[in-house]
Amino acid sequence: MTADTSRRADVRRWIPGLDAVLTYKPAWLPRDIIAGVVLTALLVPQGMAYAELAGLPAITGLYTTIFCLLGYAVFGPSRVLVLGPDSSLGPMIAAVIIPIVGSGGDPARAVALASMLALLVGLMTVLAGIGRFGFIADLLSRPTQIGYMNGLALTILVGQLPKLFGFSVDGDGLIAEAAGFVRGLVDGETVPAAVTIGAAGIVVMLALQRWLPKVPAVLVAVVASIAAAVVFDVSSRGVDLVGELPRGFPPFTIPWLSWSDLPLLIVGAAGITLVSVTDTISTASSFAARAHQEVRGNQEMIGIGSANLAVSFFQGFPVSTSGSRTAVAMRSGAKTQLTGVVGAALILLMLLLVPGLLRNMPQPTLAAVVIVASLSLADLSGVKRLWRQRRVEFILCMAAFLGVALLGVLPGIGVAVALSVLNVFRRAWWPYQAELGRAEGVAGYHDLRSYPDAERLPGLVLFRFDAPLIFANARSFREEVSRLSRTDPRPRWIVVAAEPITDIDTTAADMLEDLDEDLNAEGISLVFAELKDPVREKIDRYKLTRTIDPAHFFPTIEDAVATYRAQTGAGWATDDPPSRRSP
């Protein structure tokens, strides 16, 4: 490969949109255009609704949608993934913005804050992608992710109920908002026409999604609500309407605020980045599997980071991947990111030519769109499965749920990450440990808990430790080996079945040296079997063979047992080798 060819390949790898243009097939064009038109019908109302969910003017949702689609089309590796304003990010954005500007504060300042937030998210995500930090998506385990999303769904639902009922409340957090909603109901602030339109929209969307999934449910609900608003003049009945949107192209703006705003923005951007990257890689993996394509996790991060950078300069806010919109695009025949470009172009044409197209859309309809989206975030069946399968992970799930519901969205993401990390640490701290024996009718050596009648050789203990041997569990390892050394009759060899031990750190190495000296003083040998080569190299580097006999390292448990028998003359109750037949 020549230098020029290599450079071109690198450019196409870092700018997937260029590769998409060079490899585009004309036969795809009709499908991409049709899918783009269908997708636009979903992008417009959702973009407006999620903007208001984030505490921003509805128009910013359309600006955001336009530029994130264009940014991802250039730098995103997936051919069909659709980005945009997201229901899971909306409350997080609001949690950052509202404490700074206050409830009902200056909209222009709120937009500036949101744009700066998008800029920070974009920088963090692009740098993480370039640095190949795609593993940060693993910081949210599945149980904590389920709990977090369920808490988020409840938070969104409660926050949108007042809007659905035609009034507003002042409250910070789930409990305060729920109390405010109840007070509004008791005080008679409900607007019947608003409830009727909002509830009808929810019923229409849920019914169509359930029984006619190919029909654009959101579009049907929006068109029906606009028609009802005009025919029944609902504005005179106390129902707020969206009103005419600003005409034209959003101005290029470099977001900047005072230094005092940055700490909260950075914290919020870190949480949004984590959720966005986790959602994007998860969604990309799901759709790539269907299309038999490879997921490029680090390039996905660069793609979504580029999309956030693009929206930050045009009055936008942070975005993420949307599984529902991606599914709509695929069902409509989308082949490439041209689908998103078509959607962006159509939204831009609407703003330039017919900004009043949606002026009669009722605000309760936007609330209905958000509520239906929040229901899709909830995973009650996942919670039930965790309860049945593993109670510890169910507890983690519920703790993450309560973290979001009681502490708030941003602290909730911190709780979810902390729980995921602590769960990993817990497993390393207290790993599974087992004594092994030879079970009748089963090849090899097995856990005595599963095979209590398994046979053991006199004076030989086979011990398995199912974790890397590190500072966190070194004491646990030593205590268990010391306990085994005191069993009656006293063992002569303690063989560690070391295949699960993938690492030994310096703290554990010091422990092994002290332990071996103590065992040697009692006439007991510490022996290792099935130790992986990289771990054995660390043992040599730590100079542990000063105390542990180099001859006491065996490639298999069988070799260790055979050597022990040869040296001691110990024998099994039956000298026949274990049968390979099933028990």
Side-chain angles (χ1 to χ4, degrees), residues 503-504 534-545:
D503 190 19
I504 296 177
V535 183
R536 174 60 197 273
E537 290 170 4
K538 290 182 180 180
I539 293 241
D540 293 336
R541 190 161 65 247
Y542 297 149
K543 301 187 183 304
L544 284 177
T545 48

Side-chain angles (χ1 to χ4, degrees), residues 236-283:
S236 65
R237 301 172 185 269
V239 178
D240 292 332
L241 303 179
V242 169
E244 188 158 334
L245 299 174
R247 179 186 294 271
F249 199 78
F252 177 85
T253 307
I254 298 177
W256 180 247
L257 300 156
S258 66
W259 289 102
S260 61
D261 296 330
L262 277 179
L264 181 57
L265 288 172
I266 290 173
V267 171
I272 290 171
T273 298
L274 177 59
V275 172
S276 180
V277 168
T278 301
D279 188 32
T280 296
I281 292 181
S282 174
T283 305

Side-chain angles (χ1 to χ4, degrees), residues 146-208:
I146 291 173
Y148 173 78
M149 286 300 179
N150 284 340
L152 201 59
L154 181 60
T155 300
I156 293 171
L157 176 63
V158 171
Q160 292 297 305
L161 284 177
K163 188 175 178 181
L164 186 75
F165 279 68
F167 60 90
S168 61
V169 300
D170 290 326
D172 184 15
L174 176 66
I175 295 176
E177 289 181 342
F181 173 65
V182 172
R183 281 195 301 271
L185 292 180
V186 173
D187 294 341
E189 296 181 27
T190 301
V191 178
V195 178
T196 302
I197 287 180
I202 292 174
V203 170
V204 167
M205 283 183 278
L206 292 178
L208 290 177

